[in-house]
């Protein structure tokens, strides 16, 4: 059931205009795919802060609080070192900054693999402390019983197959998956198992296009591609990659801006204004001007 509410603008400059808001729901996302076809593709981006969530929210159906924050925000070399506390802190911020999108939080490495019970404890804490609608878990057929366990206990799950960054040490790198027949069959089997276990959506990352197309045709839930195929039922990108915040990005990323260059240019202009002593005083900026005459 959707919930309609009104934003409270009394204490936050981030929400200047009160308006009724209806957040999308997990069943609404799942229902996008009818008879194997998704006429309205699912739009998804990562978000890690309240302000970014606020900017992305009107344009997205889902916001993913990805463990990619370890690399994007904290400069870690892999997502393996991301902690549950970090995910919860950023997840809560994104929920506070969004009012339309379904917010999904990654479960970090080592917090769900041991048993369905461990996964339930972790996921329940994430939903309770963040207010998010769902969690995302990396892994294939081996995790199907865990996904089934969570879904039957009221925790919506997004699956993730193909290139799974939390398993980078086992995979040996971030190269595209599914090039061999055996690997393609394994990934397709993983996708079927995860979908059959009850995942309401499925991220398909870093696989060759024929495999992504086969998965999309095979599963009933929407597939969300990242470095997969435009024929997936939706797409997701790391927002910083999409905005052009980094010089190096995966080959499949399409930049929609060069924000890093514009930030650097703005900082240079600011620095020069300070050095030239042409930076206006606060009073000159904000105090009302005296009446003429």
């Amino acid at each position: 059931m959707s919930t309609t509410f009104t934003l409270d603008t009394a204490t936050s400059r981030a929400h200047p205009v009160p308006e009724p808001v209806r957040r999308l729901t997990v069943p609404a996302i799942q229902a996008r795919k009818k008879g194997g076809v998704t006429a309205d593709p699912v739009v998804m981006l990562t978000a890690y802060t309240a302000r970014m969530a606020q900017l992305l929210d009107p344009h997205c159906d889902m916001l993913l609080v990805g463990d990619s924050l370890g690399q994007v925000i904290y400069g870690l070399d892999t997502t393996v070192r991301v902690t549950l506390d970090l995910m919860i802190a950023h997840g809560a911020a994104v929920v506070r900054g969004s009012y339309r999108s379904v917010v999904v939080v990654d479960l970090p490495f080592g917090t769900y693999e041991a048993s369905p019970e461990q996964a339930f404890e972790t996921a329940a804490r994430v939903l309770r402390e963040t207010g998010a609608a769902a969690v995302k878990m990396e892994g294939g057929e081996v995790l199907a019983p865990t996904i089934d366990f969570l879904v039957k206990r009221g925790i919506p799950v997004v699956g993730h197959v193909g290139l799974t960054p939390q398993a980078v040490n086992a995979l040996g790198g971030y190269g595209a998956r599914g090039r061999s027949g055996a690997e393609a069959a394994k990934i397709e089997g993983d996708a079927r198992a995860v979908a059959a276990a009850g995942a309401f959506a499925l991220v398909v990352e870093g696989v060759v296009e024929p495999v992504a197309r086969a998965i999309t045709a095979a599963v009933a839930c929407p597939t969300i591609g990242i470095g997969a195929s435009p024929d997936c039922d939706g797409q997701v990108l790391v927002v910083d990659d999409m905005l052009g915040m980094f010089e190096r990005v995966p080959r499949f990323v399409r930049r929609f801006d060069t924000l890093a260059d514009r930030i650097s240019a703005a900082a240079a202009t600011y620095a020069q204004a300070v050095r030239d002593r042409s930076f206006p005083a606060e009073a000159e900026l904000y105090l009302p001007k005296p009446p003429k005459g």
Side-chain angles (χ1 to χ4, degrees):
M1 180 181 296
S2 298
T3 300
T4 301
F5 55 93
T6 301
L7 306 186
D8 179 4
T9 62
T11 60
S12 175
R13 67 182 182 186
H15 310 302
V17 182
E19 58 178 325
V21 179
R22 185 180 294 276
R23 192 184 284 276
L24 290 171
T25 64
V26 165
I29 297 297
Q30 195 168 19
R32 289 279 181 96
K33 191 168 186 174
K34 297 177 180 178
V37 177
T38 303
D40 186 11
V42 179
V43 179
M44 190 179 198
L45 283 168
T46 65
Y48 314 112
T49 65
R51 179 55 178 160
M52 185 59 76
Q54 184 190 16
L55 295 173
L56 301 179
D57 189 53
H59 312 288
C60 292
D61 303 308
M62 301 175 73
L63 292 176
L64 172 63
V65 187
D67 57 2
S68 49
L69 65 83
Q71 294 156 303
V72 171
I73 295 180
Y74 293 100
L76 301 177
D77 53 351
T78 74
T79 61
V80 173
R81 297 168 62 188
V82 173
T83 67
L84 182 57
D85 286 343
L86 277 180
M87 295 307 304
I88 288 173
H90 287 274
V94 169
V95 170
R96 287 193 295 269
S98 64
Y99 297 92
R100 175 183 182 274
S101 302
V102 172
V103 177
V104 181
V105 179
D106 266 340
L107 299 189
F109 177 74
T111 66
Y112 61 93
E113 298 91 338
S115 68
E117 290 77 13
Q118 182 202 31
F120 179 82
E121 182 177 349
T122 301
R125 182 185 168 197
V126 167
L127 298 192
R128 183 172 59 248
E129 296 186 24
T130 67
V135 298
K136 182 169 77 65
M137 301 165 56
E138 295 183 11
E141 186 174 359
V142 69
L143 276 180
T146 297
I147 294 171
D148 177 72
F149 188 88
L150 266 58
V151 170
K152 286 179 176 177
R153 286 158 179 79
I155 296 181
V157 176
V158 174
H160 185 151
V161 300
L163 172 59
T164 48
Q166 291 179 8
V168 64
N169 292 324
L171 295 174
Y174 294 97
R177 306 291 155 184
R179 296 190 186 279
S180 71
E183 188 174 50
K186 171 66 166 60
I187 295 170
E188 290 178 33
D190 285 340
R192 291 174 184 270
V194 167
F200 76 91
L202 179 65
V203 171
V204 182
E205 178 171 1
V207 303
V208 295
E209 191 165 346
V211 173
R213 286 200 301 265
I215 290 171
T216 300
V219 302
C221 67
T223 59
I224 302 173
I226 175 169
S229 168
D231 292 329
C232 289
D233 300 304
Q235 298 291 327
V236 62
L237 281 177
V238 172
V239 67
D240 298 74
D241 291 343
M242 184 273 288
L243 291 173
M245 287 292 287
F246 294 102
E247 290 76 19
R248 294 181 61 190
V249 295
R251 285 182 295 178
F252 61 77
V253 169
R254 176 183 171 188
R255 290 186 176 99
F256 288 78
D257 203 338
T258 53
L259 195 55
D261 293 340
R262 296 201 286 130
I263 291 174
S264 180
T269 301
Y270 163 78
Q272 192 60 51
V274 173
R275 294 177 182 123
D276 293 343
R277 298 186 184 277
S278 61
F279 192 77
E282 183 177 1
E284 294 175 356
L285 283 175
Y286 298 112
L287 289 180
K289 295 181 180 180
K292 293 183 179 180

